[in-house]
Amino acid sequence: MIVPDFWAQASARHRDRKRQITVRRFGWSNESEADARAMAQQRADEALAQILQGKSLQRREPVRAYNGADGVPIREEVLARHGEQVITRNSYGAHCLNSPDTLFADIDFAPPRSRACNLIALALLMSAAFVASQTIGSNSWPLWIVAAIAFVPLGRAMARVVHRYRGGHETIAVARMRSFIAQHPDWGLRYYRTPAGMRVVATHSTFSPRDDVVAKFFAAIGTDPRYARMCAHQHCFRARLTGKPWRMGIDRHVRPRPGVWPVSDEKRPVRDAWIREYEAKAGGFAACRFEGSLGTTRVHPDVRVTLELHDRLAGAKRKGTPLA
């Protein structure tokens, strides 16, 4: 995991009678902005040389804070460092914990979907259309069209009914965790409620984000696939520590847009004003709420330190605090 303190961007240009090429690349450093500029120029020069040799490369690296181009570290403002754990501000203003070895997993409570329910709904509607066409004795094509139109909402409605019968999102998520623990009794898990899902932490050991066992764990408990990809690409685990601004009554996005770090000096006052408003409200909300533990009670010493930091900064044990 690399989360640099300093960032810079540089360009390299080539012009002849046939074409003009401009390549821009980022550089980063934990030592100084000068080192970041030197790295940026070196990367831009190398990329231009490869393009001139016929290699197909992007002229400009994507302007994305996290999970951007492979090989580019997390481009977010560093707020604090606690040993190997790094606190950054993401593109919409929230504080995030970046950990190289404490396994955090996000479960997103998306609307229920069921392939089986869809197939049953399709079979019922098509059967009804067939019976109606035989009874009425008319052309069946209009009935097939009506059945096809009704198929999607009926399938979704059936999926919601089945989902409620199974106990809802949280019950299903905890059942998956219990099933995993039953097969891996040496594991320990802590789980938290978030505004739109759950957060799970493995407590018994540290992990590398690219370990095969991590991918299997993610799949077993239904981890958000986008989160799983980010962990693999950026070699770290993530946990949001403060609320999302739109859940706290802040209807303006972080300024200037798109909120990606670094920000030029002339735009810093606008950003700083937005951050002051955000920080003033963030203290009244929690990012998650601790719900319970499963499996072994043994906690790895390094994980214990990370958990204490996470629970304190995320407000996980502040009773009565609304989630955002």
Side-chain angles (χ1 to χ4, degrees), residues 89 209-210 313:
R89 188 184 302 279
R210 291 196 171 188
L313 296 181

Side-chain angles (χ1 to χ4, degrees), residues 131-150:
V131 171
S133 66
Q134 296 301 309
T135 301
I136 299 172
S138 61
N139 190 329
S140 61
W141 284 110
L143 295 173
W144 299 129
I145 294 173
V146 171
I149 294 173

Side-chain angles (χ1 to χ4, degrees), residues 113-136:
R113 299 173 182 175
S114 171
R115 182 177 298 178
C117 288
N118 286 339
L119 292 175
I120 293 172
L122 180 61
L124 289 173
L125 288 168
M126 292 306 178
S127 299
F130 175 78
V131 171
S133 66
Q134 296 301 309
T135 301
I136 299 172

Side-chain angles (χ1 to χ4, degrees), residues 70-318:
D70 288 344
V72 178
I74 298 169
R75 199 161 86 241
E76 295 178 349
E77 180 185 7
V78 174
L79 301 178
R81 293 182 182 271
H82 301 267
E84 294 297 314
Q85 318 305 314
V86 184
I87 311 298
T88 59
R89 188 184 302 279
N90 70 12
S91 60
Y92 55 78
H95 300 193
C96 289
L97 171 63
N98 303 272
S99 176
D101 54 10
T102 296
L103 198 172
F104 287 89
D106 273 349
I107 300 174
D108 189 16
F109 287 172
R113 299 173 182 175
S114 171
R115 182 177 298 178
C117 288
N118 286 339
L119 292 175
I120 293 172
L122 180 61
L124 289 173
L125 288 168
M126 292 306 178
S127 299
F130 175 78
V131 171
S133 66
Q134 296 301 309
T135 301
I136 299 172
S138 61
N139 190 329
S140 61
W141 284 110
L143 295 173
W144 299 129
I145 294 173
V146 171
I149 294 173
F151 154 61
V152 173
L154 180 60
R156 288 176 177 170
M158 292 178 64
R160 285 194 293 269
V161 171
V162 171
H163 190 75
R164 284 196 295 269
Y165 176 78
R166 293 174 63 192
H169 286 296
E170 190 164 345
T171 299
I172 293 170
V174 174
R176 284 177 173 171
M177 286 184 262
R178 291 186 186 279
S179 177
F180 183 87
I181 288 294
Q183 300 174 49
H184 304 82
D186 57 325
W187 279 58
L189 302 177
R190 288 168 62 101
Y191 57 96
Y192 303 75
R193 190 68 166 87
T194 61
M198 298 191 76
R199 178 176 298 169
V200 186
V201 189
T203 56
H204 64 290
S205 178
T206 56
F207 293 87
S208 168
R210 291 196 171 188
D211 283 347
D212 288 341
V213 67
V214 171
K216 292 177 181 177
F217 172 68
F218 281 166
I221 67 169
T223 301
D224 178 6
R226 292 172 298 179
Y227 175 80
R229 288 195 297 271
M230 286 192 289
C231 291
H233 287 172
Q234 295 291 350
H235 303 267
C236 81
F237 303 100
R238 295 261 286 186
R240 182 170 53 81
L241 300 175
T242 58
K244 292 184 176 181
W246 53 90
R247 291 177 179 155
M248 303 188 305
I250 301 175
D251 56 4
R252 297 182 302 109
H253 288 291
V254 61
R255 297 291 193 271
R257 297 298 293 156
V260 178
W261 191 255
V263 175
S264 61
D265 290 342
E266 62 269 20
K267 295 180 179 179
R268 287 296 294 274
V270 176
R271 177 182 172 89
D272 292 345
W274 188 95
I275 288 173
R276 283 194 296 271
E277 179 186 359
Y278 173 85
E279 298 293 350
K281 290 193 174 183
F285 295 85
C288 63
R289 181 179 61 247
F290 175 69
E291 293 288 322
S293 303
L294 295 170
T296 179
T297 58
R298 176 174 52 86
V299 180
H300 189 282
D302 292 343
V303 175
R304 186 184 301 278
V305 173
T306 305
L307 276 178
E308 291 174 353
L309 178 68
H310 167 270
D311 288 0
R312 175 169 57 85
L313 296 181
K317 295 185 177 179
R318 294 204 307 259

